[in-house]
Amino acid sequence: MTARRLRAVLLLAAAVPLTAAVAAAALRAAHLKLAVDRYRLELTAQPRPDCPDCHGDGGWWTGGPDPDMEACGCWTDRRGLHLPLLPRPAGWDEPPF
């Protein structure tokens, strides 16, 4: 292996963990959740822990005999991103769990 190729491999080996750490920090700072599998890449908004309305719970329960949860705007007003990667096979569905 030449010195130039060895230097490129070592630089790449150092860059990959750094890139992953920066991406993880950016997702935490933006309060996003990343879900990846062979069929999709999806970014979804998460409740802000410092929200003065929901205090990081994502919403609150409304009263009554059949209570419903009202979602807080700290995460429902933000859009997510869904990128399909591979076509799903016929009859494909979400896992049962």
Side-chain angles (χ1 to χ4, degrees), residues 1-94:
M1 185 179 285
T2 65
R4 178 180 276 171
R5 182 172 280 181
L6 180 62
R7 187 175 19 190
V9 167
L10 290 175
L11 192 61
L12 183 62
V16 169
L18 179 63
T19 303
V22 168
L27 287 173
R28 273 195 304 273
H31 305 292
L32 295 170
K33 183 174 107 179
L34 176 67
V36 180
D37 61 20
R38 64 171 33 169
Y39 303 111
R40 65 176 166 74
L41 184 139
E42 188 171 17
L43 283 171
T44 55
Q46 297 295 299
R48 285 190 350 241
D50 59 345
C51 178
D53 297 329
C54 70
H55 306 287
D57 292 333
W60 48 88
W61 292 98
T62 59
D66 188 20
D68 289 330
M69 183 172 181
E70 187 173 332
C72 183
C74 72
W75 65 281
T76 57
D77 294 342
R78 297 183 357 201
R79 295 185 58 174
L81 175 69
H82 180 86
L83 295 172
L85 299 177
L86 292 175
R88 293 183 175 149
W92 187 85
D93 197 10
E94 292 291 328

